[in-house]
């Protein structure tokens, strides 16, 4: 069976973001999303107007790959980065938590994520969605690189 681990992350996140934008009405950016930076370490707002969907897709992928529940503070560290301080050495800063919290709440309403006392986990519906999109991406990649057939499920190997 093809899983999220078997396909390139950039292609998966791109396809998942497009799927979320088209098919999951519960996930929508708030009005302030076009004007806000994602953290204090950033100098400008995101260039991509669909960054909200890409961040939601990235969060879903991180939850899929996690072995235990992930909380908001952990996501803040994951998406944080170095703050440039002029001639002083850069220092690490966490990203903002408001947009992560709101995305997780929207994904909960959509039924893709569940809340536990230790953090958020992926529901079976969310895991199934990511697996199906990963399978579609694997089929596209196999068309370009036929040698990868041997890594796929038995139905593709023939």
């Amino acid at each position: 069976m093809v899983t999220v681990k078997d396909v390139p992350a950039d292609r998966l996140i791109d396809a998942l973001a497009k799927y979320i934008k088209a098919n999951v009405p519960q996930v929508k950016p708030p009005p302030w999303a076009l004007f806000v930076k994602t953290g204090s370490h950033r100098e400008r707002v995101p260039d991509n107007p669909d960054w909200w969907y890409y961040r939601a897709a990235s969060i879903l992928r991180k939850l899929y790959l996690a072995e235990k529940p992930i909380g908001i503070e952990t996501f803040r560290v994951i998406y944080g980065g170095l703050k440039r301080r002029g001639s002083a050495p850069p220092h690490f800063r966490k990203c903002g938590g408001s947009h992560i919290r709101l995305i997780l709440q929207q994904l909960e309403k959509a039924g893709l994520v569940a809340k536990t006392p230790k953090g958020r986990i992926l529901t079976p519906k969310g895991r199934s969605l990511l697996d199906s999109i990963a399978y579609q991406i694997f089929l596209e990649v196999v068309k370009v690189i036929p040698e990868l057939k041997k890594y796929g499920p038995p139905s593709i190997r023939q």
Side-chain angles (χ1 to χ4, degrees):
M1 182 172 117
V2 177
T3 65
V4 169
K5 296 177 182 180
D6 301 327
V7 296
D10 57 341
R11 289 191 182 193
L12 176 77
I13 291 172
D14 188 45
L16 186 56
K18 290 176 183 174
Y19 178 87
I20 289 172
K21 184 175 181 180
N23 299 322
V24 183
Q26 293 90 351
V27 179
K28 286 192 177 173
W32 50 262
L34 294 175
F35 310 108
V36 69
K37 298 190 309 178
T38 57
S40 64
H41 64 287
R42 295 291 182 184
E43 293 184 5
R44 300 176 56 208
V45 299
D47 291 334
N48 187 348
D50 291 335
W51 73 269
W52 190 268
Y53 302 105
Y54 282 87
R55 181 59 58 98
S58 176
I59 287 173
L60 283 173
R61 181 180 174 274
K62 292 282 185 191
L63 286 171
Y64 186 99
L65 296 175
E67 296 175 3
K68 56 186 180 180
I70 299 181
I72 292 172
E73 286 299 312
T74 305
F75 279 120
R76 289 185 68 197
V77 171
I78 289 170
Y79 295 114
L82 292 179
K83 179 173 178 69
R84 296 175 58 195
R85 304 181 321 139
S87 60
H91 283 259
F92 180 82
R93 295 284 183 260
K94 293 179 184 177
C95 84
S98 178
H99 72 279
I100 292 174
R101 189 176 308 107
L102 190 54
I103 287 172
L104 286 169
Q105 290 169 354
Q106 291 175 349
L107 292 171
E108 281 178 37
K109 286 181 186 174
L112 302 174
V113 173
K115 190 174 186 179
T116 65
K118 294 193 174 193
R120 304 304 206 291
I121 59 170
L122 207 58
T123 62
K125 180 181 174 184
R127 190 167 291 278
S128 172
L129 172 66
L130 267 72
D131 283 337
S132 65
I133 291 177
Y135 182 73
Q136 293 169 0
I137 292 170
F138 187 79
L139 292 178
E140 293 172 8
V141 171
V142 166
K143 288 179 184 175
V144 179
I145 309 170
E147 292 83 18
L148 293 177
K149 279 186 183 179
K150 63 183 177 182
Y151 298 110
S155 60
I156 296 178
R157 290 186 214 155
Q158 299 163 359

